[in-house]
């Protein structure tokens, strides 16, 4: 189910106030329809990682398709007052908003693609007033889902083929933090969720058995397992740490033996506290010695990709990883920090003026143009991405310039193949894209991560993937910066 | 506007899968209606702080009031399959859910109250099946809003009376992260938001002027300011750092002088990058020297309570603090970690059996009973909170036991007054509470923080507020623990 169906039909007010004041400014100036290009991108991979997984596009498309100001929306804006208690917004401007139709052209990188700093995940071209209003919600949707998909992909990579279950809803940042987050976690490769509503909305497999409270509600732990098994004889995973973990395992085995007598098999046990390395090894021994080699061990308790890696190195015998808080909130970096910058504006002669946001640091200066990302492959392996501007084209296809150090160039072999990552999503406001199924997006993520050299995938100090500028674009960017610096001083 | 109105009418599926499997287990056992008591509480103040501000109750009430399984909900559950491809849920159980009505008794601490570790923010008493299903959404709502309200209150306290504007929507964890988060930030004391939809839904004052893109869309920075002033002559705050901050201030002053010529006053300037201490002091000089003593300086750029405190110590001349990412995501601790534990279960004789979740660490062992929080005041100042069980009452009103060190007692003076914090919210499923206005909740937060001794309010190593157990409750808890440990070994 789509964002607007589960939320509200129009989300036009889900934006920052300054987008609306600027919109009235452009409109007053008769510049509302002036054509602009904005890029949405981030400056650093999250989690000090080597790559990022794009996510959220399907929700962003839904937002754009349903973009309109309802009568309720403009009625609310009509009564917003300024410091003199006069209305902030003119009636004629609100009438303009009321009849506004989304007419932008949007290109974006499909969900599940590995992306890197400074690459536009999304490019909006159209009337500056519309581009501006859309900044905030597009960032909200893409920043968060991209963040969580990336976190999930890192955990999946660390788990090396083990199953991961997402069950962070209780710690999520609000109901939509749980829903959008679970969707993004699935994009990143998580196999199942505890979130029933996400299961319904996104067709994600559901998992869940029982909590400590189930055990505590019985006088006897073994009785609680036996009762659970009587209700779900083929789907029993017993939580064994309510009182004493290894004693709990023994009781699970006792119940497992009775289940077997009745023609059923215990599916698993879950460890939720204590030393997971030690306990999983001891639990495995107990299970194996009792003939329960196929009973899987599920572990949980504030896990993340670092703990998964560490537990595997310690020889922990964990088959399934249950992950909550650290995934659903991206705990160690809970925001991506994506930005949305004006990059070009069509002047009265119909030509593009390139636009740059200056900064003291070259790394924070935006790149102007109508950007596309060309990705180069050497035998299917990613070797570098070149940003170029579609109105300039490419002069020397095989060479690009380091974005922050013009003395460094990178050349690609003649035998490299390439692909342009941004694909058409909307053409003049008309949808030109069909979102793949969430399962297909998940498959794309897996393929993308696997096509990255392992040096980009390691958790600690990963290799920096090369993203450069096409030569004419680089030159033009330098020219604009120098001109602006001269003018500012 | 309420959660269910902005989201979907029933949120019964917004729960963990294991709540539903346990529910079927209780139902199969004819124990669905067995009366239970659960407490929702957290174990540590967030941000290594000295206090926490309760928030989110109004949304939780809305969730409970609208709690029901729709036909769509049970139709979805009917097709959830187990490992043998048989349905997980029996038709008769789903029929039971379909006719289920919320009949619990709920008590809670009002929003805007200063609360402390191990105090129940909310107590649910009722049929165990219902209590269990409600665990996850209650945690989602109260964990997040309490977290953000606390973060906001810390920032407001650090700002010592300066205005704070929340504008983190673009970095929020999904649309509801932005909306619930903005609501909670207002509870914590933030004065305004950039989030237009939150303004509409919650009647929170809106603020916003223009972005860098506005300036960049003009050939000349001064022209961009003058144009903005022509549209909003009485509400102009110019963002001065697009090219060079102090040059930008001079241009703002030049436009301010022209505005004054037309009978209007420049309201402010905004600094969004660079050294905010240095730049604000220099900007203040420029403004004052030009006769603009009343023009306020707004600052933003990854601010939080620590930076506010530091900038104030450095003598920064900042009047209004614009706060984004660090507030809306509670960046340095993006989850509260609240839990929801079974504390008592009515046995067949109609008596309460006390329930405890054991743990290796005493600090993580839950407290049983039907808990109430009695707060003691000495001349209006908070001096300690005593947990007691309503079925036991209080034996010696003036003495409580340290929860993790039984050798420590705390006594209150005879002259102390007291109040019980949990108030009735629902009685047998019927609403018994009217939520105060959001503005009144904000006022309560302010009064609560001010009634805390400053040693609890400092950011670094705050004093630990005393929360103890009533003596009979303490004794009973110890008895239950010893009994459980004996049985487990």
């Amino acid at each position: 189910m789509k964002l607007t169906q589960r939320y509200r039909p129009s989300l036009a007010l889900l934006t920052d106030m300054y987008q609306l004041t600027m919109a009235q400014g452009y409109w007053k100036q008769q510049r509302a329809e002036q054509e602009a290009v904005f890029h949405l991108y981030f400056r650093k991979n999250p989690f000090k990682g080597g790559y990022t997984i794009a996510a959220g596009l399907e929700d962003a498309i839904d937002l754009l398709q349903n973009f309109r100001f309802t009568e309720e929306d403009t009625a609310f804006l009509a009564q917003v007052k300024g410091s003199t208690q006069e209305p902030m917004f003119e009636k004629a401007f609100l009438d303009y908003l009321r009849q506004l139709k989304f007419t932008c052209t949007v290109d974006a990188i499909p969900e599940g693609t590995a992306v890197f700093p400074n690459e536009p995940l999304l490019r909006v071209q159209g009337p500056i007033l519309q581009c501006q209003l859309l900044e905030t919600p597009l960032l909200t949707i893409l920043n968060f889902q991209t963040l969580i998909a990336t976190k999930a992909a890192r955990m999946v990579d660390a788990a090396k083929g083990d199953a991961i279950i997402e069950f962070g809803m209780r710690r999520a940042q609000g109901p939509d933090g749980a829903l959008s987050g679970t969707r993004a976690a699935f994009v990143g490769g998580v196999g199942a969720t505890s979130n029933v509503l996400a299961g319904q909305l996104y067709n994600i497999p559901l998992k869940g058995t029982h909590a400590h409270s189930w055990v505590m509600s019985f006088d006897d732990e073994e009785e609680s397992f036996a009762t659970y098994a009587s209700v779900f004889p083929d789907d029993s995973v017993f939580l064994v740490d309510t009182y004493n973990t290894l004693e709990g395992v023994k009781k699970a085995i006792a119940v497992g033996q009775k289940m077997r007598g009745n023609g059923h098999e215990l599916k698993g046990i879950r460890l939720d506290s204590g030393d997971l390395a030690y306990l999983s090894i001891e639990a495995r021994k107990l299970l194996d010695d009792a003939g329960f080699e196929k009973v899987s061990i599920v572990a949980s308790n504030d896990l993340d990709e670092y703990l998964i890696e560490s537990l595997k190195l310690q020889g922990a015998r964990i088959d399934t990883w249950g992950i909550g808080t650290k995934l659903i909130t991206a705990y160690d970096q809970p925001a991506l920090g994506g930005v949305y910058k004006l990059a070009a504006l069509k002047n009265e002669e119909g030509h593009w003026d390139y636009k740059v946001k200056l900064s003291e640091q070259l790394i924070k200066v935006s790149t102007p143009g109508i950007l596309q990302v060309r990705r180069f492959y050497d035998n299917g392996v990613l070797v570098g991405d070149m940003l170029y501007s579609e109105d300039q084209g490419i002069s020397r296809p095989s060479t690009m310039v380091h974005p922050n150090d013009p003395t460094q160039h990178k050349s690609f072999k003649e035998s490299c193949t390439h692909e342009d990552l941004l694909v058409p999503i909307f053409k003049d406001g008309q949808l030109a894209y069909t979102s793949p199924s969430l399962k297909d997006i998940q498959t794309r993520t897996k393929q993308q991560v696997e096509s990255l050299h392992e040096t980009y995938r390691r958790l600690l100090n990963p290799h920096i993937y090369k993203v450069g500028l096409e030569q004419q674009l680089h030159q033009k960017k330098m020219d604009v910066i120098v001109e602006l610096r001269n003018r500012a001083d």
Side-chain angles (χ1 to χ4, degrees), chain A:
Chain A
M1 190 180 287
K2 292 175 173 175
L3 179 76
T4 53
Q5 285 171 318
R6 65 174 199 262
Y7 221 91
R8 53 191 273 162
S10 166
L11 286 165
L13 295 189
L14 186 76
T15 195
D16 284 315
M17 180 67 171
Y18 75 2
Q19 313 290 10
L20 285 158
T21 50
M22 286 190 281
Q24 177 157 294
Y26 294 126
W27 172 82
K28 278 289 262 194
Q29 275 206 298
Q30 274 88 51
R31 283 176 57 206
E33 316 275 336
Q34 187 176 6
E35 202 167 353
V37 173
F38 283 77
H39 298 125
L40 188 154
Y41 62 98
F42 57 89
R43 296 195 188 104
K44 272 189 206 168
N45 287 315
F47 321 116
K48 299 179 182 163
Y51 64 92
T52 296
I53 299 296
L57 183 58
E58 189 172 11
D59 277 344
I61 290 172
D62 177 49
L63 177 104
L64 297 174
Q65 269 196 295
N66 292 285
F67 185 78
R68 67 174 195 285
F69 285 86
T70 64
E71 225 156 289
E72 190 197 350
D73 294 338
T74 52
F76 169 72
L77 295 176
Q79 55 78 53
V80 174
K81 297 199 171 50
S83 61
T84 57
Q85 298 307 310
E86 291 297 308
M88 286 289 280
F89 300 109
E90 296 184 20
K91 187 178 174 306
F93 169 66
L94 295 176
D95 291 344
Y96 178 86
L97 291 186
R98 188 76 185 84
Q99 58 73 45
L100 187 67
K101 284 192 172 53
F102 172 69
T103 58
C104 297
T105 292
V106 177
D107 294 80
I109 298 181
E111 296 189 84
T113 306
V115 291
F116 302 94
N118 301 311
E119 296 181 348
L121 304 190
L122 185 111
R123 186 181 79 203
V124 184
Q125 176 173 341
I128 191 166
L129 179 144
Q130 293 183 41
C131 294
Q132 199 81 70
L133 291 173
L134 296 168
E135 171 175 8
T136 319
L138 287 173
L139 282 169
T140 306
I141 293 167
L142 297 183
N143 266 334
F144 178 53
Q145 292 200 37
T146 299
L147 181 78
I148 302 298
T150 307
K151 192 69 174 168
R154 289 162 60 82
M155 293 177 175
V156 168
D157 208 23
K160 298 190 189 302
D162 297 345
I164 293 188
I165 303 171
E166 182 284 312
F167 50 56
M169 191 205 294
R170 62 190 59 198
R171 302 285 161 76
Q173 296 208 340
D176 187 70
L179 289 169
S180 297
T182 299
R183 179 189 186 280
F186 191 75
V187 166
V190 155
T193 183
S194 71
N195 182 333
V196 182
L197 190 52
Q200 185 206 31
L201 297 178
Y202 303 123
N203 197 27
I204 298 174
L206 291 169
K207 291 278 181 197
T209 51
H210 71 84
H212 295 117
S213 53
W214 172 266
V215 179
M216 289 157 67
S217 81
F218 290 79
D219 287 328
D220 181 80
E221 187 177 23
E222 191 172 323
E223 187 196 346
S224 81
F225 295 162
T227 306
Y228 194 87
S230 73
V231 183
F232 298 101
D234 299 301
D235 292 282
S236 279
V237 177
F238 300 140
L239 178 59
V240 293
D241 73 330
T242 304
Y243 304 112
N244 174 315
T245 302
L246 294 178
E247 294 301 317
V249 175
K250 289 175 197 163
K251 288 171 186 163
I253 288 170
V255 174
Q257 277 155 343
K258 284 180 201 142
M259 291 168 73
R260 196 170 269 178
N262 297 326
H264 298 288
E265 283 296 325
L266 174 61
K267 280 287 177 301
I269 60 162
R270 178 156 77 97
L271 313 174
D272 189 41
S273 60
D275 188 315
L276 296 177
Y278 169 76
L279 291 173
S280 66
I281 291 167
E282 294 302 312
R284 185 75 270 161
K285 275 187 213 157
L286 290 172
L287 289 165
D288 290 355
D289 289 350
F292 288 97
E293 294 87 354
K294 288 193 174 167
V295 167
S296 73
I297 298 179
V298 185
S300 52
N301 192 16
D302 269 349
L303 296 175
D304 61 13
E305 63 271 43
Y306 306 102
L307 275 168
I308 293 173
E309 191 175 68
S310 163
L311 284 164
K312 282 188 156 287
L313 280 169
Q314 294 170 65
R317 299 295 301 275
I318 294 166
D319 306 292
T320 298
W321 307 81
I323 307 199
T325 315
K326 298 289 167 76
L327 171 55
I328 204 70
T329 66
Y331 199 84
D332 56 337
Q333 187 193 318
L336 179 62
V339 296
Y340 179 94
K341 294 289 176 195
L342 176 64
L345 201 55
K346 205 164 255 182
N347 61 29
E348 283 172 8
E349 291 85 48
H351 296 127
W352 288 111
D353 286 338
Y354 276 24
K355 295 290 178 182
V356 156
K357 164 73 185 76
L358 279 192
S359 166
E360 310 283 316
Q361 306 148 272
L362 190 55
I363 198 176
K364 286 186 85 173
V365 175
S366 61
T367 299
I370 298 102
L371 298 182
Q372 175 58 276
V373 182
R374 179 158 294 189
R375 175 158 291 172
F376 290 86
Y377 299 88
D378 189 355
N379 278 319
V381 174
L382 282 67
V383 287
D385 291 357
M386 177 196 282
L387 303 192
Y388 71 95
S389 184
E390 289 189 344
D391 65 327
Q392 286 187 318
I394 296 179
S395 58
R396 282 181 57 197
S398 59
T399 307
M400 63 186 191
V401 185
H402 191 291
N404 308 316
D405 177 358
T407 64
Q408 288 193 50
H409 290 230
K410 175 168 172 69
S411 295
F412 299 105
K413 284 192 264 178
E414 286 290 324
S415 59
C416 284
T417 56
H418 64 77
E419 120 185 86
D420 283 352
L421 295 186
L422 288 135
V423 300
I425 307 295
F426 287 92
K427 176 73 186 152
D428 300 328
Q430 296 302 307
L431 188 64
Y433 183 75
T434 308
S435 281
S437 74
L438 211 57
K439 187 74 200 164
D440 286 348
I441 295 173
Q442 188 185 64
T443 303
R444 180 174 175 87
T445 300
K446 186 168 187 291
Q447 289 164 345
Q448 290 271 312
V449 173
E450 286 170 358
S451 67
L452 286 170
H453 190 271
E454 61 190 19
T455 54
Y456 303 119
R457 292 162 64 181
R458 67 177 175 235
L459 299 180
L460 194 64
N461 290 336
H463 198 164
I464 295 168
Y465 183 82
K466 295 209 168 38
V467 179
L469 301 186
E470 192 279 334
Q471 290 190 304
Q472 300 169 83
L473 176 64
H474 171 260
Q475 194 51 55
K476 179 86 183 182
K477 177 176 177 177
M478 293 301 124
D479 294 348
V480 175
I481 294 173
V482 170
E483 190 197 331
L484 284 174
R485 290 222 197 279
N486 288 340
R487 217 194 296 163
D489 293 339

